Amino acid sequence: RAVFTSTTFSMTSAGLMTLNGAKGAGATSDAVRLSGTPAGGVVNAAGGLAVNGTGDVVVDTGSIIHAGTGAMFKATNNIVFSANSAFAPSTTGAVNVTLNSDSDGLNGGAISLATGSVVSSNGGNITLGGGADPATTAAIGASAATSAMASGIYLDAASLNAGAGNISLRGAGIAGANGAYGIYMTGGSLQTTTGSISLTGLGGAGGPSGSSDMGIGLYNAASITSTSGNIALTGTGNGATLGIGVGAW
């Protein structure tokens, strides 16, 4: 397990900063945890940033991450941005940001962004997905214990802002659970100017009687807006009761 905490872990050159961690055998803790609220952010990379976890990757409450030329968060299991955490570019240039869960394609891996968390890119692309290629493969729910982990992508009053860049989300719910959305979004916003926004969600199959396993569920004034870019929502539901492809309340 690798923990980066309290003080700013910085790199001023334009090279790639790589943070690798693995949880111990049989451990339930995360593989990489980024934690702390120093003025410069807990991680500040002038160049690119690669965070690789054999297990979960967690950005703790209020923790801020910066990178200047690109950022990849990759986990074999789940990726969690806790409340009021954020990724923001360290420069004025466009930064592509990727959250890639279930990178080994073995046991699933959800992507969860909690209340007040923010990902911005200054016009770079923002991609959330799973497997070997998160641009084409879904993040998959990993646990039936909570909807946040049963859903492929769970956005709880979180904000993604790509400006002129594109936003792509691909998620699939875990099989056999209730509340296993492909993509769940309550409140918060997805926003671009000229970039496109694409959401593809598949509800978990084989849920119990009365289950609500929608492809894409939008709640509580969740906002998806683009000034001039295309917006596409593609959902396939599987719930025993609410097997809705795309639903908004």
Side-chain angles (χ1 to χ4, degrees), residues 20-187:
N20 297 325
K23 67 178 182 179
T28 58
S29 60
D30 35 81
V32 178
R33 180 172 290 268
L34 306 174
S35 179
T37 57
V42 67
V43 173
N44 193 338
L49 173 65
V51 180
N52 302 304
T54 304
D56 295 348
V57 170
V58 177
V59 181
D60 256 346
T61 299
S63 300
I64 310 299
I65 313 299
H66 299 291
T69 59
M72 168 68 80
F73 297 83
K74 181 183 289 188
T76 57
N77 296 126
N78 307 302
I79 295 177
V80 177
F81 273 58
S82 303
N84 301 314
S85 62
F87 174 86
S90 59
T91 67
T92 58
V95 175
N96 292 331
V97 184
T98 302
L99 276 57
N100 180 187
S101 65
D102 188 31
S103 61
D104 58 3
L106 294 178
N107 298 306
I111 298 174
S112 175
L113 277 66
T115 302
S117 57
V118 177
V119 176
S120 57
S121 67
N122 281 353
N125 296 329
I126 298 175
T127 304
L128 277 62
D133 184 359
T136 61
T137 306
I140 300 176
S143 169
T146 66
S147 187
M149 289 293 102
S151 300
I153 297 175
Y154 190 94
L155 306 178
D156 183 358
S159 298
L160 277 60
N161 190 335
N166 303 319
I167 295 176
S168 172
L169 276 61
R170 289 181 175 269
I174 191 173
N178 182 27
Y181 295 77
I183 298 172
Y184 176 95
M185 182 178 177
T186 180

